[in-house]
Amino acid sequence: MRVDSEWVQVALLTFDLIGTFVFALSGGVLAVRKQLDLFGVLVLACAAAVSGGIVRDVLIGAHPPASLADWRYLVVAMAAGLVTFRWHGVIERLRNPVQLFDAAGLALFAVLGTGKALAFGLSPFAAMLLGIITGIGGGIARDLLVVRTPVVLQQTELYAMAALVGSGIVALAAAFHLPQHPAMVLGALACFGLRFMSIRRGWKLPVAGGSDGR
Amino acid sequence: MRVDSEWVQVALLTFDLIGTFVFALSGGVLAVRKQLDLFGVLVLACAAAVSGGIVRDVLIGAHPPASLADWRYLVVAMAAGLVTFRWHGVIERLRNPVQLFDAAGLALFAVLGTGKALAFGLSPFAAMLLGIITGIGGGIARDLLVVRTPVVLQQTELYAMAALVGSGIVALAAAFHLPQHPAMVLGALACFGLRFMSIRRGWKLPVAGGSDGR
Amino acid sequence: MRVDSEWVQVALLTFDLIGTFVFALSGGVLAVRKQLDLFGVLVLACAAAVSGGIVRDVLIGAHPPASLADWRYLVVAMAAGLVTFRWHGVIERLRNPVQLFDAAGLALFAVLGTGKALAFGLSPFAAMLLGIITGIGGGIARDLLVVRTPVVLQQTELYAMAALVGSGIVALAAAFHLPQHPAMVLGALACFGLRFMSIRRGWKLPVAGGSDGR
């Protein structure tokens, strides 16, 4: 990643922790709805926040995973779990701002995940996939833990597709040896913008059917 | 694996990609039935095709997993997903030939998975288990993602047992220091044959019950 | 872990295998209830017994995982699966003694898991989490494989919390550079005692709700 400026480092960490917090809120809210106890709420908050990054780190061989090596990620995730446990009614009413932060977290996770995979020597194609996994893996783990089909796999607004576009821009830049940092900024903006427009306008992916009958 | 002849290498890769394609079809068909969107279909196709090998590689410490290091596996899996998305009615009607290819894929995955684990220095017993995981892990991941009990764990024709026999033959040969390549051919044939007979004759494993009542 | 006395080593291994056996029983019983075939019973027995340790080893980068490197764990787990398959009625009636052994297994897995993570250089905070995962991961995998919300996440007697207390004592001792072996004994006793009292007295964690309404 080699970001030289200390200021940029701090900004990235801040965004990363905000993304972690917001992802964790989504886990906590689901756990409360499913009537899990306090421990279950904390587990779902952590699972939603860090599973994507952990799967990425396990696949690229980064031991221990970043979110275990640095205690701040899990502490932030648990704080979000506690907040949800106490004020879940408020969080549910704040749906719109939470969705905005979630879109920012998705953009950041996808782009940084792709960058980390590239830094570990993976091909641009594999790095793109790992970026998507970083972005959407937490939501999948969260949903599987309460035994529901991951919402990201069902027909919803463009969520994974936004992660794909963000990761893909970073991966394409690497494939063509273009400078990485502008590509990461561009990828994050594209991912965020696409997700934002999809929420606003209800853009969706097609479902199979039609001519084949059913 | 050290297969010297280039011809054998090409044949193995070809079979491996065919197995990947057919396993991916099973994921795509399930995703279409569950009304997932295009992205969900692609994810289930990839999950069914490569999860078994990825779990094996993570457990033996092979980073990055083969199916991420070589882009052909995921491209083939995604192609199968697209085919299912567009022509799922046709695929469903081709059930019988697909089952045959699936049996071939199972045999190959189980035997090659055992071989790779042995090459990474695992004991024959552990290598046998990793061969089974390579063969059946994709189907388990596929089913869990749409929240259904993995069919391989329920009473069906001998599927996992066929993988066990194939992997076991390779592992036994390693335990007794017998030559590996003939064992792999024999293991693959035994796995394929057992699976084939089980489909034809409806051979099953027992379920607990009977004398113990319920 | 560097336990010098051979006697202690043998005692630890014995407890570890007893814990493995009892955890595997819980998997086997669930599989029989869900009408899985013999293979499914064996898989659930193994999943319940070794998943927690495998996830820990994958996250700390210990390849191959201990339960694959040493065949005794899986053989013991499979034996438990066979016992359940044949005598599940008896096992279900032995619920109380099984719960006691399960509490002992939980205490041992949590404490040893924390110790192993510390030995691999993880921070006390991360080691505590990995100890909890070692203790409860098997039950989560077992439940997910038959598609039910992990019981450890739902309102039950203090189970995960007991693992947390046991792991936390070992982690705190490491953080303050106190001797590790007394801490492990103390942690295991605390975990076992808390779990035992929770079964006897029905101690539970709170569930969100109340003032926030629903």
Side-chain angles (χ1 to χ4, degrees):
Chain A
M1 224 126 350
R2 278 155 307 175
V3 177
D4 295 318
S5 151
E6 199 177 315
W7 191 88
V8 173
Q9 293 277 19
V10 171
L12 276 181
L13 178 65
T14 307
F15 273 113
D16 216 10
L17 291 176
I18 291 177
T20 301
F21 188 84
V22 179
F23 275 31
L25 286 183
S26 79
V29 165
L30 181 60
V32 169
R33 272 193 215 146
K34 294 278 180 182
Q35 297 267 49
L36 302 190
D37 68 9
L38 176 56
F39 179 79
V41 172
L42 293 180
V43 167
L44 247 70
C46 290
V50 305
S51 299
I54 284 182
V55 170
R56 175 202 62 212
D57 287 350
V58 164
L59 292 179
I60 64 178
H63 302 296
S67 51
L68 289 180
D70 183 340
W71 56 270
R72 284 175 292 198
Y73 292 99
L74 282 167
V75 166
V76 162
M78 287 181 190
L82 288 174
V83 165
T84 328
F85 189 75
R86 181 68 194 79
W87 294 289
H88 55 98
V90 179
I91 306 288
E92 299 245 26
R93 280 191 292 278
L94 290 177
R95 196 164 225 290
N96 284 350
V98 166
Q99 274 193 330
L100 270 197
F101 278 114
D102 183 80
L106 178 70
L108 201 79
F109 279 28
V111 162
L112 292 180
T114 309
K116 183 165 185 179
L118 289 169
F120 270 71
L122 275 82
S123 71
F125 180 70
M128 182 187 75
L129 293 168
L130 287 163
I132 299 172
I133 289 173
T134 310
I136 71 172
I140 292 177
R142 174 199 67 203
D143 292 348
L144 290 182
L145 281 172
V146 295
V147 186
R148 75 171 186 189
T149 300
V151 291
V152 73
L153 298 183
Q154 294 175 294
Q155 190 177 29
T156 52
E157 303 93 7
L158 306 177
Y159 193 91
M161 192 53 63
L164 187 154
V165 168
S167 300
I169 288 173
V170 179
L172 273 179
F176 292 106
H177 304 288
L178 299 172
Q180 194 178 3
H181 290 146
M184 290 176 86
V185 172
L186 187 64
L189 289 177
C191 174
F192 180 83
L194 187 55
R195 175 76 190 126
F196 181 77
M197 292 306 290
S198 135
I199 295 173
R200 277 296 177 89
R201 305 275 175 98
W203 291 350
K204 288 176 197 299
L205 279 183
V207 170
S211 63
D212 252 324
R214 283 222 335 130
Chain B
M1 223 123 351
R2 279 154 309 174
V3 178
D4 293 317
S5 150
E6 199 178 314
W7 191 87
V8 173
Q9 292 277 17
V10 171
L12 277 181
L13 178 65
T14 307
F15 273 113
D16 216 9
L17 290 176
I18 291 176
T20 301
F21 188 84
V22 178
F23 275 30
L25 286 183
S26 79
V29 165
L30 180 60
V32 169
R33 272 191 215 147
K34 294 279 180 181
Q35 298 269 45
L36 302 190
D37 68 10
L38 175 57
F39 179 79
V41 172
L42 294 179
V43 167
L44 247 71
C46 289
V50 304
S51 300
I54 284 182
V55 170
R56 175 202 61 211
D57 287 349
V58 165
L59 292 179
I60 64 179
H63 300 295
S67 51
L68 288 180
D70 183 339
W71 56 270
R72 283 175 293 198
Y73 292 98
L74 282 167
V75 166
V76 162
M78 286 182 191
L82 288 175
V83 165
T84 328
F85 190 75
R86 181 69 193 79
W87 294 289
H88 55 96
V90 178
I91 306 288
E92 299 245 25
R93 279 190 293 276
L94 290 177
R95 197 164 224 290
N96 284 349
V98 166
Q99 273 195 329
L100 270 198
F101 278 114
D102 183 80
L106 179 71
L108 201 78
F109 279 29
V111 162
L112 292 180
T114 308
K116 183 164 184 180
L118 289 169
F120 269 71
L122 274 82
S123 71
F125 179 71
M128 182 187 75
L129 292 167
L130 287 164
I132 299 172
I133 289 173
T134 310
I136 71 172
I140 292 177
R142 173 200 69 202
D143 291 348
L144 290 182
L145 280 173
V146 294
V147 186
R148 76 171 186 190
T149 300
V151 291
V152 73
L153 299 183
Q154 294 175 293
Q155 191 177 29
T156 51
E157 303 94 5
L158 306 178
Y159 194 91
M161 193 53 63
L164 187 153
V165 168
S167 299
I169 288 173
V170 179
L172 273 178
F176 291 106
H177 304 288
L178 299 172
Q180 195 178 3
H181 291 146
M184 291 175 86
V185 172
L186 187 65
L189 290 176
C191 175
F192 180 83
L194 187 55
R195 176 75 191 126
F196 181 77
M197 292 305 290
S198 136
I199 294 173
R200 278 296 177 88
R201 304 273 175 99
W203 290 351
K204 287 178 200 296
L205 279 182
V207 169
S211 64
D212 251 324
R214 285 209 331 124
Chain C
M1 224 129 347
R2 279 154 308 175
V3 177
D4 294 318
S5 150
E6 200 177 314
W7 191 88
V8 173
Q9 292 276 18
V10 170
L12 276 181
L13 178 65
T14 307
F15 273 113
D16 216 10
L17 290 176
I18 291 176
T20 300
F21 188 84
V22 179
F23 275 30
L25 287 184
S26 78
V29 165
L30 181 61
V32 169
R33 271 192 217 147
K34 294 279 179 180
Q35 297 268 49
L36 301 190
D37 68 11
L38 176 56
F39 178 79
V41 172
L42 295 178
V43 168
L44 246 70
C46 290
V50 305
S51 300
I54 284 182
V55 169
R56 175 202 61 212
D57 287 349
V58 164
L59 291 180
I60 65 179
H63 302 296
S67 52
L68 289 180
D70 183 339
W71 56 270
R72 284 175 292 198
Y73 292 99
L74 282 167
V75 166
V76 163
M78 286 181 191
L82 288 174
V83 166
T84 327
F85 190 75
R86 181 69 193 78
W87 295 289
H88 56 99
V90 178
I91 306 289
E92 299 245 26
R93 280 191 292 277
L94 290 176
R95 194 164 227 290
N96 285 348
V98 166
Q99 274 194 330
L100 270 197
F101 278 114
D102 183 80
L106 179 71
L108 201 79
F109 279 29
V111 162
L112 292 180
T114 309
K116 182 163 185 181
L118 289 169
F120 270 72
L122 273 82
S123 71
F125 179 71
M128 182 186 75
L129 293 167
L130 287 164
I132 300 172
I133 289 173
T134 310
I136 70 173
I140 292 178
R142 173 199 67 202
D143 292 347
L144 290 182
L145 280 173
V146 295
V147 186
R148 75 170 186 191
T149 300
V151 291
V152 73
L153 298 183
Q154 293 175 295
Q155 191 177 28
T156 52
E157 304 92 6
L158 305 178
Y159 194 91
M161 192 53 62
L164 187 153
V165 168
S167 300
I169 288 173
V170 179
L172 273 178
F176 291 107
H177 304 290
L178 299 172
Q180 195 178 4
H181 291 146
M184 290 174 86
V185 172
L186 187 65
L189 290 176
C191 175
F192 180 83
L194 187 55
R195 175 78 190 124
F196 181 77
M197 292 306 290
S198 136
I199 294 172
R200 277 295 177 89
R201 305 273 175 99
W203 291 350
K204 288 178 198 296
L205 278 184
V207 170
S211 63
D212 251 327
R214 287 209 332 123

